[in-house]
Amino acid sequence: MAMAFHPLAASRVRLAPLLPAAAPSSSSVAAHHHHHRRRFSAIVATAAPASAPTVFDFNTYMGERAETVNRALDAAIPAGEPPAALHEAMRYSLLAGGKRVRPALCLAACGVVGGREAWALAPAAAVEMVHTMSLVHDDLPCMDDDDLRRGKPTCHVVYGEPIAVLTGDALLSLAFHHVASVGSYPPDVDPEKHPARVVRAIFELARCIGSEGLVAGQVVDLEMTGTSEVVPLERLEYIHLHKTAALLEASVVIGAIIGGGTDEQIERLRKYARSIGLLFQVVDDILDVTKSSEELGKTAGKDLATDKTTYPKLLGLEKSREFAEKLLSDAKEQLAGFDKEKAAPLLHLAYYIAHRQN
């Protein structure tokens, strides 16, 4: 049965058609398999490709945003207050490192439409809370059953399954509390327009998580894992547009909304985000079969071991890489109408996602 993203009014945007299917080579895929925060700049130092513009200091930009977001996340969850076990697990999962790509996208989108990044700090922290929730739940034995995340034992390994489930629940609730709270924003936001923007941002965040977004992608992903059915490319696209791209899309769109972007600007940025969201997953699939667990900070080769449907499995590695380049080109095209200086962070984020090494 053909599956498509739910057409939510005119805001739903389809990506360009996928590449034609190529006969995958399982042997070629198999042949390639073999409580401190880290500064993001150290992670991305090897990620920028030679073809990316060099005027913009991407490493410094990301390092500074990561530190700002980490401070906001640290302040958002009380340390030592009851229930201590829950708060400790929340802090363990949320402050375990991570690249903070989604918060950076949120802040950059706010800036590209002319808003102050400080306006979008609360939503940026919120999308990272949602992302961490999805990782905690993804790693559970009833889901992907993984014991390594961001180079550390997963939440349920350290705190047990019941606390891990509740940790995800609490992070999800906290995300919405953080976006909705008046005290989360600086005093210079527009007192007339800001409340409506917050409501619209909450709508986008809620939509990306549930049965039209992240949860839908996870459900179909579980259904397809280990199946003897030949999974069509459009089904794989459905999984990743929901499971991975939806939250990246929300991160960008929410930032643009809070920054006061026009409807036209928001929709161009939505298309950009859909492209880099799918690009993120294509690259993730490639890295799973070309990198070690030490390089990735999570279990390598898991997709191959569980017979999970991935782009390298369906297309082969070379076609997967070609598809990634096409998605990068599509993302760059959507930024063409924005001020080049203001769009530089989003452009370099797209390059980073395309060429990241973990």
Side-chain angles (χ1 to χ4, degrees):
M1 179 179 69
M3 304 187 76
F5 227 5
H6 181 67
L8 184 63
S11 66
R12 310 311 301 164
V13 182
R14 289 288 297 172
L15 291 173
L18 292 168
L19 291 174
S25 170
S26 57
S27 60
S28 65
V29 174
H32 286 271
H33 174 60
H34 352 89
H35 233 4
H36 301 294
R37 300 180 209 144
R38 295 177 297 164
R39 281 184 58 85
F40 185 66
S41 54
I43 299 174
V44 302
T46 60
S51 58
T54 57
V55 176
F56 179 72
D57 189 347
F58 179 68
N59 289 358
T60 298
Y61 175 90
M62 291 301 295
E64 291 173 351
R65 270 67 188 174
E67 289 182 355
T68 299
V69 169
N70 283 337
R71 285 195 297 269
L73 295 173
D74 188 19
I77 303 177
E81 294 186 17
L86 177 63
H87 287 146
E88 182 182 332
M90 291 170 70
R91 292 177 63 83
Y92 175 86
S93 301
L94 194 58
L95 303 177
K99 304 172 184 69
R100 309 309 189 202
V101 170
R102 290 156 190 82
L105 285 167
C106 187
L107 297 173
C110 181
V112 81
V113 299
R116 287 188 58 230
E117 285 191 2
W119 299 351
L121 182 56
V127 296
E128 187 64 20
M129 293 172 189
V130 173
H131 175 54
T132 302
M133 173 277 295
S134 72
L135 300 182
V136 171
H137 283 179
D138 251 12
D139 292 334
L140 289 168
C142 64
M143 304 288 272
D144 287 353
D145 191 14
D146 217 330
D147 58 5
L148 189 67
R149 173 69 66 178
R150 292 171 172 169
K152 300 175 64 175
T154 47
C155 185
H156 71 272
V157 170
V158 177
Y159 297 98
E161 291 180 43
I163 290 294
V165 171
L166 294 172
T167 293
D169 295 344
L171 286 170
L172 182 59
S173 175
L174 181 61
F176 284 96
H177 179 276
H178 210 59
V179 174
S181 175
V182 174
S184 295
Y185 298 91
D188 65 338
V189 294
D190 189 320
E192 294 183 2
K193 296 179 180 178
H194 180 68
R197 291 172 182 172
V198 170
V199 170
R200 188 175 177 185
I202 290 172
F203 165 80
E204 288 286 346
L205 186 60
R207 180 194 56 77
C208 86
I209 297 168
S211 62
E212 294 180 11
L214 192 154
V215 173
Q218 180 70 2
V219 168
V220 180
D221 191 20
L222 288 170
E223 291 174 347
M224 294 298 100
T225 299
T227 181
S228 57
E229 175 187 349
V230 177
V231 179
L233 281 174
E234 68 174 5
R235 186 74 58 85
L236 187 61
E237 181 190 37
Y238 176 94
I239 292 170
H240 295 317
L241 282 175
H242 289 69
K243 184 176 178 180
T244 302
L247 185 54
L248 287 164
E249 176 186 335
S251 302
V252 172
V253 170
I254 288 170
I257 289 170
I258 295 296
T262 66
D263 287 345
E264 181 182 356
Q265 288 176 324
I266 290 170
E267 291 313 310
R268 286 188 70 85
L269 290 171
R270 189 188 298 277
K271 292 177 182 178
Y272 157 86
R274 299 290 297 279
S275 292
I276 64 165
L278 193 53
L279 172 62
F280 192 98
Q281 189 60 53
V282 174
V283 172
D284 213 49
D285 286 355
I286 293 170
L287 292 176
D288 185 73
V289 296
T290 59
K291 297 291 181 179
S292 67
S293 297
E294 291 73 22
E295 290 171 307
L296 294 179
K298 60 182 181 180
T299 307
K302 190 79 183 296
D303 295 342
L304 191 64
T306 58
D307 197 25
K308 194 170 186 176
T309 300
T310 64
Y311 283 98
K313 180 180 177 181
L314 292 185
L315 295 175
L317 280 171
E318 195 55 41
K319 287 292 184 182
S320 296
R321 290 182 173 123
E322 289 176 12
F323 184 36
E325 289 300 322
K326 172 64 168 58
L327 290 167
L328 175 60
S329 177
D330 290 345
K332 290 164 56 180
E333 183 180 346
Q334 296 304 323
L335 297 177
F338 292 94
D339 176 87
K340 289 185 178 180
E341 184 175 346
K342 291 180 178 179
L346 291 174
L347 177 62
H348 279 76
L349 274 159
Y351 274 109
Y352 166 70
I353 288 170
H355 297 275
R356 65 195 175 95
Q357 300 300 306
N358 60 12

